[in-house]
Tab-separated table of all heavy atoms in Angstrom:
chain	number	residue	atom	x	y	z
A	88	PRO	N	5.360	17.029	3.091
A	88	PRO	CA	4.063	17.291	3.558
A	88	PRO	C	2.905	16.804	2.533
A	88	PRO	O	1.763	16.482	3.090
A	88	PRO	CB	4.081	18.853	3.698
A	88	PRO	CG	5.420	19.214	3.931
A	88	PRO	CD	6.222	18.104	3.075
A	89	GLU	N	3.148	16.783	1.245
A	89	GLU	CA	2.123	16.374	0.428
A	89	GLU	C	1.881	14.857	0.384
A	89	GLU	O	0.904	14.416	-0.217
A	89	GLU	CB	2.527	16.831	-1.059
A	89	GLU	CG	3.836	16.451	-1.538
A	89	GLU	CD	4.903	17.613	-1.380
A	89	GLU	OE1	4.809	18.266	-0.345
A	89	GLU	OE2	5.655	17.803	-2.351
A	90	ASP	N	2.690	14.155	1.197
A	90	ASP	CA	2.389	12.696	1.382
A	90	ASP	C	1.317	12.439	2.463
A	90	ASP	O	0.943	11.397	2.780
A	90	ASP	CB	3.663	12.073	1.795
A	90	ASP	CG	4.730	11.962	0.658
A	90	ASP	OD1	4.337	11.671	-0.451
A	90	ASP	OD2	5.890	12.243	0.933
A	91	THR	N	0.942	13.584	3.192
A	91	THR	CA	-0.038	13.463	4.144
A	91	THR	C	-1.309	12.943	3.586
A	91	THR	O	-1.852	13.485	2.639
A	91	THR	CB	-0.338	14.842	4.771
A	91	THR	OG1	0.868	15.288	5.551
A	91	THR	CG2	-1.542	14.811	5.808
A	92	ALA	N	-1.876	11.811	4.206
A	92	ALA	CA	-2.996	11.119	3.682
A	92	ALA	C	-3.381	9.982	4.597
A	92	ALA	O	-2.654	9.615	5.500
A	92	ALA	CB	-2.748	10.665	2.208
A	93	ILE	N	-4.510	9.439	4.374
A	93	ILE	CA	-4.880	8.126	4.913
A	93	ILE	C	-4.375	7.153	3.950
A	93	ILE	O	-4.711	7.156	2.700
A	93	ILE	CB	-6.437	7.996	5.158
A	93	ILE	CG1	-6.902	9.049	6.097
A	93	ILE	CG2	-6.787	6.602	5.745
A	93	ILE	CD1	-8.412	9.102	6.318
A	94	TYR	N	-3.644	6.162	4.368
A	94	TYR	CA	-3.078	5.114	3.572
A	94	TYR	C	-3.884	3.828	3.740
A	94	TYR	O	-4.054	3.341	4.832
A	94	TYR	CB	-1.620	4.958	3.786
A	94	TYR	CG	-0.695	6.027	3.396
A	94	TYR	CD1	-0.739	7.237	3.803
A	94	TYR	CD2	0.072	5.762	2.224
A	94	TYR	CE1	0.091	8.290	3.260
A	94	TYR	CE2	0.887	6.746	1.639
A	94	TYR	CZ	0.814	7.953	2.144
A	94	TYR	OH	1.581	9.008	1.681
A	95	TYR	N	-4.314	3.243	2.613
A	95	TYR	CA	-5.115	2.101	2.584
A	95	TYR	C	-4.348	0.961	1.877
A	95	TYR	O	-3.802	0.995	0.810
A	95	TYR	CB	-6.379	2.290	1.820
A	95	TYR	CG	-7.319	3.267	2.369
A	95	TYR	CD1	-7.215	4.705	1.935
A	95	TYR	CD2	-8.343	3.003	3.349
A	95	TYR	CE1	-8.039	5.677	2.544
A	95	TYR	CE2	-9.136	3.896	3.844
A	95	TYR	CZ	-9.031	5.181	3.437
A	95	TYR	OH	-9.791	6.149	3.976
A	96	CYS	N	-4.353	-0.164	2.523
A	96	CYS	CA	-3.827	-1.453	1.986
A	96	CYS	C	-4.910	-1.994	1.080
A	96	CYS	O	-6.133	-1.955	1.397
A	96	CYS	CB	-3.539	-2.421	3.090
A	96	CYS	SG	-2.858	-3.949	2.529
A	97	ALA	N	-4.496	-2.660	-0.048
A	97	ALA	CA	-5.453	-3.262	-0.983
A	97	ALA	C	-5.038	-4.592	-1.510
A	97	ALA	O	-3.857	-4.675	-1.713
A	97	ALA	CB	-5.657	-2.190	-2.165
A	98	ALA	N	-6.026	-5.396	-1.745
A	98	ALA	CA	-5.681	-6.719	-2.360
A	98	ALA	C	-6.402	-6.841	-3.733
A	98	ALA	O	-7.590	-6.217	-3.877
A	98	ALA	CB	-6.138	-7.809	-1.498
A	99	GLY	N	-5.898	-7.555	-4.573
A	99	GLY	CA	-6.582	-7.789	-5.861
A	99	GLY	C	-7.919	-8.503	-5.602
A	99	GLY	O	-8.212	-9.011	-4.702
A	100	ARG	N	-8.630	-8.568	-6.830
A	100	ARG	CA	-9.995	-9.135	-6.740
A	100	ARG	C	-10.025	-10.723	-6.562
A	100	ARG	O	-10.883	-11.297	-6.190
A	100	ARG	CB	-10.674	-8.880	-8.074
A	100	ARG	CG	-11.220	-7.419	-8.146
A	100	ARG	CD	-12.162	-7.152	-9.277
A	100	ARG	NE	-12.756	-5.869	-9.134
A	100	ARG	CZ	-13.877	-5.675	-8.452
A	100	ARG	NH1	-14.384	-6.602	-7.856
A	100	ARG	NH2	-14.404	-4.422	-8.465
A	101	GLY	N	-8.893	-11.315	-6.974
A	101	GLY	CA	-8.854	-12.778	-6.652
A	101	GLY	C	-7.437	-13.394	-6.881
A	101	GLY	O	-6.518	-12.483	-7.286
A	102	PRO	N	-7.264	-14.637	-6.704
A	102	PRO	CA	-5.877	-15.161	-6.888
A	102	PRO	C	-5.356	-14.918	-8.265
A	102	PRO	O	-6.131	-15.171	-9.279
A	102	PRO	CB	-6.186	-16.626	-6.641
A	102	PRO	CG	-7.405	-16.727	-5.767
A	102	PRO	CD	-8.264	-15.569	-6.249
A	103	TYR	N	-4.150	-14.553	-8.299
A	103	TYR	CA	-3.396	-14.265	-9.667
A	103	TYR	C	-4.103	-13.225	-10.546
A	103	TYR	O	-3.897	-13.278	-11.720
A	103	TYR	CB	-3.202	-15.667	-10.297
A	103	TYR	CG	-2.526	-16.700	-9.430
A	103	TYR	CD1	-3.274	-17.868	-9.062
A	103	TYR	CD2	-1.275	-16.503	-8.986
A	103	TYR	CE1	-2.623	-18.751	-8.254
A	103	TYR	CE2	-0.628	-17.426	-8.167
A	103	TYR	CZ	-1.340	-18.525	-7.798
A	103	TYR	OH	-0.723	-19.471	-7.043
A	104	MET	N	-4.854	-12.363	-9.914
A	104	MET	CA	-5.498	-11.322	-10.779
A	104	MET	C	-4.677	-10.036	-10.571
A	104	MET	O	-4.242	-9.689	-9.382
A	104	MET	CB	-6.933	-11.113	-10.331
A	104	MET	CG	-7.874	-12.241	-10.641
A	104	MET	SD	-9.576	-11.931	-10.213
A	104	MET	CE	-9.975	-10.569	-11.519
A	105	VAL	N	-4.403	-9.343	-11.584
A	105	VAL	CA	-3.638	-8.140	-11.600
A	105	VAL	C	-4.231	-6.990	-10.808
A	105	VAL	O	-5.432	-6.795	-10.883
A	105	VAL	CB	-3.262	-7.670	-13.000
A	105	VAL	CG1	-2.379	-6.347	-12.971
A	105	VAL	CG2	-2.441	-8.771	-13.763
A	106	LEU	N	-3.466	-6.305	-9.954
A	106	LEU	CA	-3.986	-5.172	-9.302
A	106	LEU	C	-3.513	-3.971	-10.155
A	106	LEU	O	-2.350	-3.759	-10.292
A	106	LEU	CB	-3.429	-5.060	-7.932
A	106	LEU	CG	-3.839	-3.868	-7.016
A	106	LEU	CD1	-5.273	-3.990	-6.740
A	106	LEU	CD2	-3.014	-3.804	-5.723
A	107	LEU	N	-4.511	-3.242	-10.687
A	107	LEU	CA	-4.187	-2.141	-11.523
A	107	LEU	C	-4.030	-0.813	-10.564
A	107	LEU	O	-3.979	-0.886	-9.385
A	107	LEU	CB	-5.277	-1.880	-12.486
A	107	LEU	CG	-5.603	-3.057	-13.425
A	107	LEU	CD1	-6.711	-2.865	-14.324
A	107	LEU	CD2	-4.277	-3.458	-14.199
Side-chain angles (χ1 to χ4, degrees):
E89 51 264 44
D90 293 318
T91 294
I93 300 174
Y94 282 72
Y95 297 91
C96 181
R100 287 190 168 276
Y103 305 113
M104 293 185 69
V105 176
L106 182 65
L107 302 176

